[in-house]
Amino acid sequence: MPRPSLPQKRDFVAKAFCPRILVLSTPTIADACAVNGCAGFADLLAPFGQDISTQITIQDGQGAPYFLDKLTVRFTTDYKIEKHSQQQSRADIDELVHKSAADESEQQRIPFLSDGVVDADVVKSDDIAAWAPWYIQFRQQWVASMQATEHESFMHPVACLLVASGSEEDPIGALRRLQQQAVVQRVQSQSFSGVSVLFYYLLVHDGRDVGAMQTIDQTFEQVRRTFGQNSALVKINSLTDSAESGDTSDRSKIAGIWSSSQAAMQPLVPVPQPATEYGGMLSMRDVAALRDAVKQMMVRSVVPHMQYMIRVLSDQTANQRRGITGRLFSAGRRYFGAAGKTSSILTGVDGDVYFGYDSPEAQLRKLADYSFMLKDFRFAQAVYQVARRDFQTERAWKCYAGAQEMVGICKLMQEIQATRAEFDSNFDDAVAMYLHKTQTPCLHLAVRCTIIYYELLKHHRLYAFAPPALLRLPASLSALHAMISEQAAYAYLKTPLRPQLRKFSFYAMVASREYQKAGIGELAHRCLRMVRLSLGARLSTSSDKNSSGSWLAIESHVNHELGLQCMTAQNYDQALEHFMALMGSDQIPPKLQAKYLQELLQLYLEGSTGADAAPVQLSVPSIDAQKARVIMSPELEGTDEVLLWKRGGAAPSSQSGTAGSGACCSVGENVAVLLMVKNPLTVGITLSQFTLDCEFEAADTDSKSQPEFTVSTADTVVLEGGQTSMVTVTLTPQRAGSLTIKGASYLLCDILPAYKPLVLPGKRLNDTLEQRVTAVYAPETHLRFRVDPGWPRLEAMLEEFPDSLMSGSMQRAQLRLINRGTLPCHAITLWLSHPSFFDVTRPHNDSDDDSGQSAYSYTDGISATEEAEVANVLQDSSMVVVLGGASALDSAECLESGDSVCVPVWVRGDRVGAHALSMFVGASTAQTAPSQLDAAKAVAMRSRRFDVDLVVTPSLRVNAFVRPSMRSPHERIVGIEVENVQADLSVELVQTTFTSGYYELVPLQARRANTASETHELKVGPRQTVNLMFRARPLRAAGELQTAPEQFTVDALQQYIFSKNKPTVLPRPITLIYSNAVLGAQGIDCVHSPLQAYILRSQAHRRCSLLRTAFPLIPEEHQPRLFPLYETFGIDFVLFWREIGGSMRAGHHSISGIDLGVPHDYITAALNPPAAGAARAWLTDTVNERDALIRSIANRFQSSRRHERPLDVAMHCVQTAESAAKLAKTPNTFYIADVTITVYNHSWRHKYAFKLDLLSPSQLKQRLSATDVELDFSGARSGWKWLDTTHYELTVPPMDSVQLHARLACCAPGMIDIALWELYAKALDPNGSSADSETKATIVPSGHPKYGPQCVVCRLHPLHPTLVNIKPFSMNE
């Protein structure tokens, strides 16, 4: 199928190798052209040879059709082959470069560099012609000025156009005489076309000759009969008078056709001013006739003629192209002599070897060139490769170089992607042969080859290969080497990944040097400017900062040279800019840097306008604005910040991005600004009169006469090379308002006034679409602060804080607070990062000495069991209000100006390890405490932050374990294992305290007072372990559990999930049971002492941490209304101890949430919709969020909970008696035992219906016989059997039990195991119906999955043996 013609982007190469047509005309035609401003008929036709719309389908060398949409042809008036000497080529190149650089309009523009930034959009553009227009002019002119040579047929005419006028006396004779001219003879004898050159005859009718108008058609008919179809008639000069020129716009369009054509083909050739206007006698119809005549000539004659020659030459060279040429021709020379072959090798005008135009080698070259001109690049490449082999064999190096050049061009002109190795070697060989292997170096051909190669690489965007290709040309020509180096530099900006600025700078520097040698100073200066901008540039679309400051030697040299040039021209502003760029690097040698500094100071003294000269911005010294610190009241301790305080446990946060954000100080308060100043030079400098430039915005306009602020001036700073020093400047605001630090002012070396801006971009905004698309930054508040007369000034000092503690021990520290402000301080609040590490107690005045106060309240008469009602609400344990709140530790409303107070802070080693603790102290002049705010609101308060490190070493290791009790299934045995891990420390156990809402814990062994054994038991020596055993027994009745905290959680969580209205009710207070076991002489009051508040805060901290982990999808602000602080069946344990001897340190260890193994799986009950149904959700997102929450809770409890037994069975032997029953024939004695069976229900929510089956050993054996399991009934499993009823069906209420009576018979006395039973239980609703018929979740009518506890339906078996002693009876009984 037809193939498309060449894309427009490669038209430059196609036009460079387009067909040539020799134009010969009579003098009459020359006169007809002169009236239109043209020197000859070739000039008249020249504009119409560009981009001829052929629109024909032709065949390639292999017979395949392809579409030729357009073609370019050049018209010439002479043909000759001249010798090109190297000196002439050098002169021509130098002249063309100077002419192309003569236009100064574009020399100052650098389109891809703007303000020291590489414009990525310009760099990514396809064309770089606008970067160096002088190169484009040089390229066009050099290629257009190429002359015909012996080794290729491109510049040789493919046809001769003979033009005669219709007003001639004998037009046919005139055409014959034109055909006999000497130039035509040279074409037929010395050109590739030879005698087969095409002659085309054109008869022109001049509209000014009115007489010939009647006979012009007859004359043309005679011409056609004489010369055949290759003839045509065209009429011109229709406008016989300039007065008939018609529309002015048409005249300008017609004139523009020739002027634009002349400028495009030969841009550096001066366009002569014609005596008459271009096309002055031509109408638009004449222009169309000329264009159509050229098109018809090409379509009907020239292109078919070239196609015919391609077919003929293809047939003649078919064998040669098949690869057998060498063998056949060698045999021919051997048998018939070599005269024929030798005669075809000739010597050209420049001494190089070439082939006669009728030789097979020349015919191959002509075949390939004709195919190339008709854009059949694939076939042309194959022919060039065959001809190249023959040229190399005959050592015709110029011909070989030309073939190599065309092979590479054909590869790049095709659409097929090729690797560099496939085409680069062709151009490399071609340039090397042109310059070094030919008899006379063909510099003009090497330049042409390089330009064509460069343009094709640009078309394929292979810019990475362009610099090596360009730099193959010799560097001896300064002008050419400068232009080539400049293009190589531009190519490095177009590399695929990112612009290579260093290589660009290097080759731009080389181009500048070569331009300077060639005497083109303007372009040399421009290249230096490009180097200076590029070395400090960065990409506008990336964060590449590696280019900044790179190659400092070149950068310094460029700036110094530019500065000296501007200084010589007395352009002091630009000179100062270049010399300032020399400052700021520590890699320049000290001597050279001292010279630069001295020249900079001398330049300022010469160009200064006086004392009022504006300060300049220097890079010396360097001040990092990000490291600048603004410290309020530098005489105070701690880190001063303005933070937002709110409930919920979160740390006070910064005010960044909120109204009124930023630091703040009071009127008259000192503000210290710390700046890190570094000398980047290698020589010393001095900074004098160092101060800050600030901008103040007053809040009021009443006190204009009062000064806004005062700024101190730092002492003279002396900085050695590379030295960094801290400079402190103090500001004191005198009025309310806002103060912003803009920069620093100073004198460099006591001469040069300089200014250093301190400006930073704020936070990147990402709220709106515009902010996400374009980079928008908020105002930076780092160096800005407010001045508020009512701002608090609270001095806080943390004293006696320990560096290390033993785990569990408590040590007293002290927080001293002093109000240095003029107004009272309200709402003094503490925020603790680790609440379980701190116990903050009631503050006191400095005059009160409580240094001997203990953390524990020792007293006599501690009750073994004590009940106390506590608030069962989750509170924020991290925030403690000291003064000025309803829940404050002290009743005082505020801390007056000048007053001080001490806050005792007990520090406890809660966990082993190294900890980074933080404490915030906030104060405000308002009377609102953060603990009184809603969780969604916050209060801005001035805060002091203390960061301390604490190392906690291990002291005691306390573990708890639970065992079932043999007395009752409702009871458990709780064991406490206390291990002293210290190697040289003995401790005394003081007291144990258990806290629960349901259980009472009593020691298993009663305490014996005043015995030596007691003292031994209470002491735990180094590396020793002590076990304490307790019995946990219920103290609450089953009826008292209807309002348990667990039921509150079920109802609240169910409302939170399925109702539109979220829960608002808080849990009710809970009555806790404190079980105390005093192990020493005195006990510790945990109920009525401040220790209870610490225990509650620690419990709240641990409880909130567990809830955050267990329910991540429930926000923390809703958790206090969903979950209580304590659960009914949970047990917390505290062990108090003190050191024996030494420092008498004391402490306590705690275990929270001891699990007794009682089933209390109630959370999943809240996952079922209430009886009223779930609230309807209109949004899909709301439904998805609800389902995700339900699945998260259900999956967590199903995967983490253990197997629970809601019911348990206990058996006790009541009585035994002798029976003398006679069975069959053998008398036997049976022993009868009465057994009491108790079924316990551990669930507080469900009533259970159960079926109990008592199994005898024989029945059990029958049940397991099918599984091939053999049982051994010897020993405790001896022969016995249940009597009477063995199947029971009853119900048992929540937290209650049911007793049953059974009887068994045993054949012999002794111990037997009667734990053989099977229990099937099913939970019942409060109305008595079944809670669930299946063990898995089902679907309720609303479509919501129904969840139930794991033990709704269960089948239970004994977990441990029940041994009964059957005693024998004497016969007397």
Side-chain angles (χ1 to χ4, degrees), residues 146-159:
M146 296 300 296
Q147 299 295 327
T149 60
E150 304 95 338
H151 75 291
E152 62 183 9
S153 64
F154 285 116
M155 309 304 168
H156 296 236
V158 298

Side-chain angles (χ1 to χ4, degrees), residues 810 830 832 834-842 871 873-881 887-889 904-906 910 1089-1105 1125-1126:
M810 299 189 72
L830 303 182
L832 310 172
H834 297 67
S836 58
F837 281 77
F838 297 97
D839 182 17
V840 183
T841 59
R842 188 173 182 271
V873 180
L874 290 173
Q875 299 289 347
D876 183 9
S877 58
S878 59
M879 189 174 294
V880 180
V881 181
S887 59
L889 299 177
V905 179
W906 291 91
D910 186 68
S1089 66
L1091 183 62
Q1092 186 191 28
Y1094 169 72
I1095 294 176
L1096 292 177
R1097 287 197 300 269
S1098 300
Q1099 171 66 12
H1101 177 67
R1102 287 190 291 267
R1103 178 75 168 162
C1104 290
S1105 300
L1125 178 62
Y1126 286 97

Side-chain angles (χ1 to χ4, degrees), residues 239 242-257 277-280 282-284:
L239 302 178
S242 60
E244 303 176 2
S245 59
D247 192 1
T248 308
S249 60
D250 291 343
R251 304 307 321 145
S252 60
K253 290 180 181 179
I254 294 175
I257 293 176
E277 184 183 8
Y278 280 121
L282 299 178
S283 64
M284 295 299 293

Side-chain angles (χ1 to χ4, degrees), residues 934-947:
D934 191 2
K937 298 181 181 179
V939 173
M941 296 200 300
R942 189 171 187 178
S943 309
R944 288 273 169 180
R945 175 173 179 169
F946 297 93
D947 295 322

Side-chain angles (χ1 to χ4, degrees), residues 10 377-378 381 409-416 460:
R10 290 177 288 175
F377 305 117
R378 185 187 303 274
Q381 176 185 344
I409 292 176
C410 288
K411 291 178 180 178
L412 291 176
M413 290 293 284
Q414 300 178 56
E415 294 295 338
I416 302 176
H460 289 280

